[in-house]
PDB file of all heavy atoms in Angstrom:
ATOM      1  N   PRO A  39      13.967  13.980 -25.115  1.00  0.00           N
ATOM      2  CA  PRO A  39      12.888  12.853 -25.157  1.00  0.00           C
ATOM      3  C   PRO A  39      12.252  12.941 -26.540  1.00  0.00           C
ATOM      4  O   PRO A  39      11.888  13.995 -27.092  1.00  0.00           O
ATOM      5  CB  PRO A  39      11.897  13.314 -24.169  1.00  0.00           C
ATOM      6  CG  PRO A  39      12.300  14.527 -23.524  1.00  0.00           C
ATOM      7  CD  PRO A  39      13.490  15.157 -24.235  1.00  0.00           C
ATOM      8  N   THR A  40      12.056  11.758 -27.161  1.00  0.00           N
ATOM      9  CA  THR A  40      11.381  11.636 -28.480  1.00  0.00           C
ATOM     10  C   THR A  40      10.509  10.372 -28.584  1.00  0.00           C
ATOM     11  O   THR A  40      10.634   9.493 -27.736  1.00  0.00           O
ATOM     12  CB  THR A  40      12.286  11.615 -29.646  1.00  0.00           C
ATOM     13  OG1 THR A  40      12.817  10.155 -29.803  1.00  0.00           O
ATOM     14  CG2 THR A  40      13.562  12.490 -29.491  1.00  0.00           C
ATOM     15  N   MET A  41       9.731  10.395 -29.544  1.00  0.00           N
ATOM     16  CA  MET A  41       8.911   9.171 -29.956  1.00  0.00           C
ATOM     17  C   MET A  41       9.494   8.558 -31.307  1.00  0.00           C
ATOM     18  O   MET A  41       8.761   7.743 -31.834  1.00  0.00           O
ATOM     19  CB  MET A  41       7.463   9.385 -30.057  1.00  0.00           C
ATOM     20  CG  MET A  41       6.850  10.003 -28.695  1.00  0.00           C
ATOM     21  SD  MET A  41       5.144   9.761 -28.591  1.00  0.00           S
ATOM     22  CE  MET A  41       4.516  10.722 -29.945  1.00  0.00           C
ATOM     23  N   GLY A  42      10.620   9.060 -31.623  1.00  0.00           N
ATOM     24  CA  GLY A  42      11.287   8.440 -32.816  1.00  0.00           C
ATOM     25  C   GLY A  42      10.796   8.933 -34.153  1.00  0.00           C
ATOM     26  O   GLY A  42      10.128   9.932 -34.243  1.00  0.00           O
ATOM     27  N   HIS A  45      13.424  13.432 -37.717  1.00  0.00           N
ATOM     28  CA  HIS A  45      13.533  14.303 -38.823  1.00  0.00           C
ATOM     29  C   HIS A  45      14.523  15.485 -38.307  1.00  0.00           C
ATOM     30  O   HIS A  45      14.870  15.524 -37.093  1.00  0.00           O
ATOM     31  CB  HIS A  45      12.068  14.836 -39.234  1.00  0.00           C
ATOM     32  CG  HIS A  45      11.332  15.311 -38.085  1.00  0.00           C
ATOM     33  ND1 HIS A  45      11.575  16.500 -37.410  1.00  0.00           N
ATOM     34  CD2 HIS A  45      10.108  14.897 -37.614  1.00  0.00           C
ATOM     35  CE1 HIS A  45      10.619  16.750 -36.435  1.00  0.00           C
ATOM     36  NE2 HIS A  45       9.738  15.762 -36.541  1.00  0.00           N
ATOM     37  N   GLY A  47      13.884  18.250 -37.190  1.00  0.00           N
ATOM     38  CA  GLY A  47      13.489  18.979 -35.919  1.00  0.00           C
ATOM     39  C   GLY A  47      14.109  18.204 -34.811  1.00  0.00           C
ATOM     40  O   GLY A  47      14.618  18.796 -33.826  1.00  0.00           O
ATOM     41  N   HIS A  48      13.929  16.901 -34.671  1.00  0.00           N
ATOM     42  CA  HIS A  48      14.532  16.022 -33.659  1.00  0.00           C
ATOM     43  C   HIS A  48      16.048  16.396 -33.602  1.00  0.00           C
ATOM     44  O   HIS A  48      16.577  16.398 -32.566  1.00  0.00           O
ATOM     45  CB  HIS A  48      14.333  14.569 -33.738  1.00  0.00           C
ATOM     46  CG  HIS A  48      12.831  14.125 -33.801  1.00  0.00           C
ATOM     47  ND1 HIS A  48      12.173  13.673 -34.818  1.00  0.00           N
ATOM     48  CD2 HIS A  48      12.017  14.264 -32.742  1.00  0.00           C
ATOM     49  CE1 HIS A  48      10.985  13.408 -34.429  1.00  0.00           C
ATOM     50  NE2 HIS A  48      10.825  13.750 -33.240  1.00  0.00           N
ATOM     51  N   LEU A  51      17.447  19.507 -32.034  1.00  0.00           N
ATOM     52  CA  LEU A  51      17.462  19.417 -30.597  1.00  0.00           C
ATOM     53  C   LEU A  51      18.651  18.564 -30.092  1.00  0.00           C
ATOM     54  O   LEU A  51      19.349  18.972 -29.035  1.00  0.00           O
ATOM     55  CB  LEU A  51      16.107  18.779 -29.967  1.00  0.00           C
ATOM     56  CG  LEU A  51      14.801  19.300 -30.505  1.00  0.00           C
ATOM     57  CD1 LEU A  51      13.627  18.609 -29.717  1.00  0.00           C
ATOM     58  CD2 LEU A  51      14.701  20.797 -30.108  1.00  0.00           C
ATOM     59  N   ASN A  69       4.836   6.674 -26.352  1.00  0.00           N
ATOM     60  CA  ASN A  69       4.324   6.535 -25.049  1.00  0.00           C
ATOM     61  C   ASN A  69       2.690   6.273 -25.206  1.00  0.00           C
ATOM     62  O   ASN A  69       2.004   7.240 -25.480  1.00  0.00           O
ATOM     63  CB  ASN A  69       4.551   7.860 -24.202  1.00  0.00           C
ATOM     64  CG  ASN A  69       3.749   7.987 -23.002  1.00  0.00           C
ATOM     65  OD1 ASN A  69       3.620   6.938 -22.276  1.00  0.00           O
ATOM     66  ND2 ASN A  69       3.280   9.175 -22.656  1.00  0.00           N
ATOM     67  N   GLN A  72      -0.100   8.832 -23.679  1.00  0.00           N
ATOM     68  CA  GLN A  72      -0.548  10.071 -24.179  1.00  0.00           C
ATOM     69  C   GLN A  72      -1.345  10.026 -25.448  1.00  0.00           C
ATOM     70  O   GLN A  72      -1.642  11.053 -26.112  1.00  0.00           O
ATOM     71  CB  GLN A  72       0.776  10.915 -24.439  1.00  0.00           C
ATOM     72  CG  GLN A  72       1.629  10.470 -25.679  1.00  0.00           C
ATOM     73  CD  GLN A  72       2.913  11.313 -25.643  1.00  0.00           C
ATOM     74  OE1 GLN A  72       3.826  11.040 -24.865  1.00  0.00           O
ATOM     75  NE2 GLN A  72       3.106  12.205 -26.623  1.00  0.00           N
ATOM     76  N   TYR A  82       1.547   4.689 -35.494  1.00  0.00           N
ATOM     77  CA  TYR A  82       2.546   5.800 -35.347  1.00  0.00           C
ATOM     78  C   TYR A  82       3.879   5.162 -36.056  1.00  0.00           C
ATOM     79  O   TYR A  82       4.258   4.165 -35.797  1.00  0.00           O
ATOM     80  CB  TYR A  82       2.866   6.107 -33.886  1.00  0.00           C
ATOM     81  CG  TYR A  82       3.617   7.375 -33.713  1.00  0.00           C
ATOM     82  CD1 TYR A  82       2.915   8.551 -33.666  1.00  0.00           C
ATOM     83  CD2 TYR A  82       4.967   7.409 -33.657  1.00  0.00           C
ATOM     84  CE1 TYR A  82       3.609   9.880 -33.568  1.00  0.00           C
ATOM     85  CE2 TYR A  82       5.696   8.635 -33.544  1.00  0.00           C
ATOM     86  CZ  TYR A  82       4.980   9.767 -33.518  1.00  0.00           C
ATOM     87  OH  TYR A  82       5.581  11.031 -33.517  1.00  0.00           O
ATOM     88  N   VAL A 139       1.691  12.841 -21.168  1.00  0.00           N
ATOM     89  CA  VAL A 139       3.044  13.609 -21.554  1.00  0.00           C
ATOM     90  C   VAL A 139       3.838  13.885 -20.225  1.00  0.00           C
ATOM     91  O   VAL A 139       4.969  13.575 -20.115  1.00  0.00           O
ATOM     92  CB  VAL A 139       2.824  14.790 -22.452  1.00  0.00           C
ATOM     93  CG1 VAL A 139       4.150  15.628 -22.492  1.00  0.00           C
ATOM     94  CG2 VAL A 139       2.327  14.454 -23.791  1.00  0.00           C
ATOM     95  N   VAL A 142       5.006  10.699 -18.451  1.00  0.00           N
ATOM     96  CA  VAL A 142       6.261   9.879 -18.968  1.00  0.00           C
ATOM     97  C   VAL A 142       7.449  10.867 -18.816  1.00  0.00           C
ATOM     98  O   VAL A 142       8.601  10.320 -18.713  1.00  0.00           O
ATOM     99  CB  VAL A 142       5.942   9.463 -20.428  1.00  0.00           C
ATOM    100  CG1 VAL A 142       6.117  10.557 -21.516  1.00  0.00           C
ATOM    101  CG2 VAL A 142       6.842   8.394 -20.810  1.00  0.00           C
ATOM    102  N   VAL A 143       7.329  12.148 -19.091  1.00  0.00           N
ATOM    103  CA  VAL A 143       8.516  13.013 -19.013  1.00  0.00           C
ATOM    104  C   VAL A 143       9.110  13.055 -17.588  1.00  0.00           C
ATOM    105  O   VAL A 143      10.248  12.880 -17.370  1.00  0.00           O
ATOM    106  CB  VAL A 143       8.220  14.460 -19.547  1.00  0.00           C
ATOM    107  CG1 VAL A 143       9.361  15.391 -19.298  1.00  0.00           C
ATOM    108  CG2 VAL A 143       8.012  14.374 -21.037  1.00  0.00           C
ATOM    109  N   PHE A 157      13.426  20.590 -25.591  1.00  0.00           N
ATOM    110  CA  PHE A 157      12.123  20.380 -26.246  1.00  0.00           C
ATOM    111  C   PHE A 157      11.907  21.337 -27.405  1.00  0.00           C
ATOM    112  O   PHE A 157      12.613  22.359 -27.430  1.00  0.00           O
ATOM    113  CB  PHE A 157      10.960  20.534 -25.262  1.00  0.00           C
ATOM    114  CG  PHE A 157      10.920  19.580 -24.165  1.00  0.00           C
ATOM    115  CD1 PHE A 157      11.653  19.648 -23.047  1.00  0.00           C
ATOM    116  CD2 PHE A 157      10.057  18.444 -24.309  1.00  0.00           C
ATOM    117  CE1 PHE A 157      11.718  18.669 -22.014  1.00  0.00           C
ATOM    118  CE2 PHE A 157      10.048  17.415 -23.274  1.00  0.00           C
ATOM    119  CZ  PHE A 157      10.735  17.663 -22.127  1.00  0.00           C
ATOM    120  N   GLY A 158      11.091  20.965 -28.297  1.00  0.00           N
ATOM    121  CA  GLY A 158      10.825  21.836 -29.513  1.00  0.00           C
ATOM    122  C   GLY A 158       9.617  22.776 -29.311  1.00  0.00           C
ATOM    123  O   GLY A 158       8.738  22.485 -28.610  1.00  0.00           O
ATOM    124  N   LYS A 160       7.674  23.442 -31.473  1.00  0.00           N
ATOM    125  CA  LYS A 160       6.593  22.988 -32.405  1.00  0.00           C
ATOM    126  C   LYS A 160       5.498  22.510 -31.444  1.00  0.00           C
ATOM    127  O   LYS A 160       4.260  22.830 -31.758  1.00  0.00           O
ATOM    128  CB  LYS A 160       7.283  21.794 -33.063  1.00  0.00           C
ATOM    129  CG  LYS A 160       6.170  20.797 -33.717  1.00  0.00           C
ATOM    130  CD  LYS A 160       5.599  21.298 -34.997  1.00  0.00           C
ATOM    131  CE  LYS A 160       4.621  20.486 -35.699  1.00  0.00           C
ATOM    132  NZ  LYS A 160       4.175  19.289 -35.045  1.00  0.00           N
ATOM    133  N   ASP A 161       5.730  21.831 -30.396  1.00  0.00           N
ATOM    134  CA  ASP A 161       4.633  21.451 -29.471  1.00  0.00           C
ATOM    135  C   ASP A 161       4.647  22.410 -28.328  1.00  0.00           C
ATOM    136  O   ASP A 161       5.122  22.063 -27.267  1.00  0.00           O
ATOM    137  CB  ASP A 161       4.954  20.014 -28.961  1.00  0.00           C
ATOM    138  CG  ASP A 161       5.110  19.090 -30.144  1.00  0.00           C
ATOM    139  OD1 ASP A 161       4.014  18.479 -30.479  1.00  0.00           O
ATOM    140  OD2 ASP A 161       6.131  18.800 -30.638  1.00  0.00           O
ATOM    141  N   GLN A 164       2.923  21.668 -24.930  1.00  0.00           N
ATOM    142  CA  GLN A 164       3.699  20.553 -24.326  1.00  0.00           C
ATOM    143  C   GLN A 164       4.917  21.199 -23.548  1.00  0.00           C
ATOM    144  O   GLN A 164       5.126  20.861 -22.361  1.00  0.00           O
ATOM    145  CB  GLN A 164       4.242  19.534 -25.313  1.00  0.00           C
ATOM    146  CG  GLN A 164       5.330  18.571 -24.748  1.00  0.00           C
ATOM    147  CD  GLN A 164       5.591  17.494 -25.773  1.00  0.00           C
ATOM    148  OE1 GLN A 164       4.785  16.588 -25.796  1.00  0.00           O
ATOM    149  NE2 GLN A 164       6.729  17.557 -26.430  1.00  0.00           N
ATOM    150  N   PRO A 185      13.664  26.459 -31.530  1.00  0.00           N
ATOM    151  CA  PRO A 185      12.750  26.895 -32.620  1.00  0.00           C
ATOM    152  C   PRO A 185      12.287  25.815 -33.503  1.00  0.00           C
ATOM    153  O   PRO A 185      12.900  24.814 -33.598  1.00  0.00           O
ATOM    154  CB  PRO A 185      13.626  27.825 -33.420  1.00  0.00           C
ATOM    155  CG  PRO A 185      14.880  28.151 -32.629  1.00  0.00           C
ATOM    156  CD  PRO A 185      15.008  27.036 -31.527  1.00  0.00           C
ATOM    157  N   ILE A 186      11.133  25.959 -34.115  1.00  0.00           N
ATOM    158  CA  ILE A 186      10.440  25.026 -35.066  1.00  0.00           C
ATOM    159  C   ILE A 186      11.363  24.903 -36.288  1.00  0.00           C
ATOM    160  O   ILE A 186      11.688  25.962 -36.878  1.00  0.00           O
ATOM    161  CB  ILE A 186       8.994  25.422 -35.421  1.00  0.00           C
ATOM    162  CG1 ILE A 186       8.296  25.582 -34.199  1.00  0.00           C
ATOM    163  CG2 ILE A 186       8.485  24.475 -36.415  1.00  0.00           C
ATOM    164  CD1 ILE A 186       6.884  26.124 -34.468  1.00  0.00           C
ATOM    165  N   VAL A 187      11.691  23.682 -36.683  1.00  0.00           N
ATOM    166  CA  VAL A 187      12.332  23.370 -38.056  1.00  0.00           C
ATOM    167  C   VAL A 187      11.222  23.066 -38.995  1.00  0.00           C
ATOM    168  O   VAL A 187      10.381  22.364 -38.764  1.00  0.00           O
ATOM    169  CB  VAL A 187      13.394  22.215 -37.828  1.00  0.00           C
ATOM    170  CG1 VAL A 187      14.041  22.023 -39.122  1.00  0.00           C
ATOM    171  CG2 VAL A 187      14.390  22.550 -36.814  1.00  0.00           C
ATOM    172  N   MET A 195       8.063  20.495 -39.624  1.00  0.00           N
ATOM    173  CA  MET A 195       8.276  19.067 -39.688  1.00  0.00           C
ATOM    174  C   MET A 195       7.656  18.305 -38.654  1.00  0.00           C
ATOM    175  O   MET A 195       7.622  18.892 -37.460  1.00  0.00           O
ATOM    176  CB  MET A 195       9.880  18.911 -39.538  1.00  0.00           C
ATOM    177  CG  MET A 195      10.556  19.241 -40.822  1.00  0.00           C
ATOM    178  SD  MET A 195      12.243  18.701 -40.761  1.00  0.00           S
ATOM    179  CE  MET A 195      12.841  19.494 -42.297  1.00  0.00           C
TER     180      MET A 195
HETATM  181  P1  PAJ B 308       8.010  13.817 -30.538  1.00  0.00           P
HETATM  182  O1  PAJ B 308       6.767  14.212 -31.383  1.00  0.00           O
HETATM  183  O2  PAJ B 308       8.871  12.707 -31.096  1.00  0.00           O
HETATM  184  O3  PAJ B 308       8.940  15.064 -30.562  1.00  0.00           O
HETATM  185  C1  PAJ B 308      10.165  15.038 -29.740  1.00  0.00           C
HETATM  186  C2  PAJ B 308      10.609  16.461 -29.578  1.00  0.00           C
HETATM  187  O4  PAJ B 308      10.862  17.018 -30.855  1.00  0.00           O
HETATM  188  C3  PAJ B 308       9.593  17.430 -28.896  1.00  0.00           C
HETATM  189  O5  PAJ B 308      10.287  18.246 -28.005  1.00  0.00           O
HETATM  190  C4  PAJ B 308       9.088  18.177 -30.061  1.00  0.00           C
HETATM  191  O6  PAJ B 308       8.574  19.381 -29.869  1.00  0.00           O
HETATM  192  C5  PAJ B 308      10.201  18.279 -31.019  1.00  0.00           C
HETATM  193  N1  PAJ B 308       9.887  18.511 -32.381  1.00  0.00           N
HETATM  194  C6  PAJ B 308       9.021  17.869 -33.137  1.00  0.00           C
HETATM  195  N2  PAJ B 308       8.973  18.519 -34.386  1.00  0.00           N
HETATM  196  C7  PAJ B 308       9.705  19.600 -34.388  1.00  0.00           C
HETATM  197  C8  PAJ B 308      10.091  20.647 -35.327  1.00  0.00           C
HETATM  198  N3  PAJ B 308       9.572  20.544 -36.498  1.00  0.00           N
HETATM  199  N4  PAJ B 308      11.021  21.479 -34.920  1.00  0.00           N
HETATM  200  C9  PAJ B 308      11.648  21.467 -33.736  1.00  0.00           C
HETATM  201  N5  PAJ B 308      11.388  20.528 -32.828  1.00  0.00           N
HETATM  202  C10 PAJ B 308      10.398  19.553 -33.068  1.00  0.00           C
HETATM  203  O7  PAJ B 308       6.916  15.334 -28.362  1.00  0.00           O
HETATM  204  C11 PAJ B 308       7.040  14.116 -28.030  1.00  0.00           C
HETATM  205  O8  PAJ B 308       7.692  13.379 -29.076  1.00  0.00           O
HETATM  206  C12 PAJ B 308       6.466  13.322 -26.971  1.00  0.00           C
HETATM  207  O9  PAJ B 308       5.352  13.974 -26.605  1.00  0.00           O
HETATM  208  C13 PAJ B 308       7.485  13.301 -25.815  1.00  0.00           C
HETATM  209  C14 PAJ B 308       7.996  14.662 -25.242  1.00  0.00           C
HETATM  210  C15 PAJ B 308       8.795  12.445 -26.258  1.00  0.00           C
HETATM  211  C16 PAJ B 308       6.863  12.457 -24.649  1.00  0.00           C
HETATM  212  O10 PAJ B 308       6.375  11.289 -24.928  1.00  0.00           O
END
Side-chain angles (χ1 to χ4, degrees):
T40 82
M41 300 202 298
H45 51 65
H48 296 116
L51 305 184
N69 171 39
Q72 69 187 75
Y82 196 83
V139 168
V142 81
V143 169
F157 291 83
K160 160 81 177 8
D161 301 272
Q164 166 171 283
I186 300 176
V187 177
M195 288 194 184

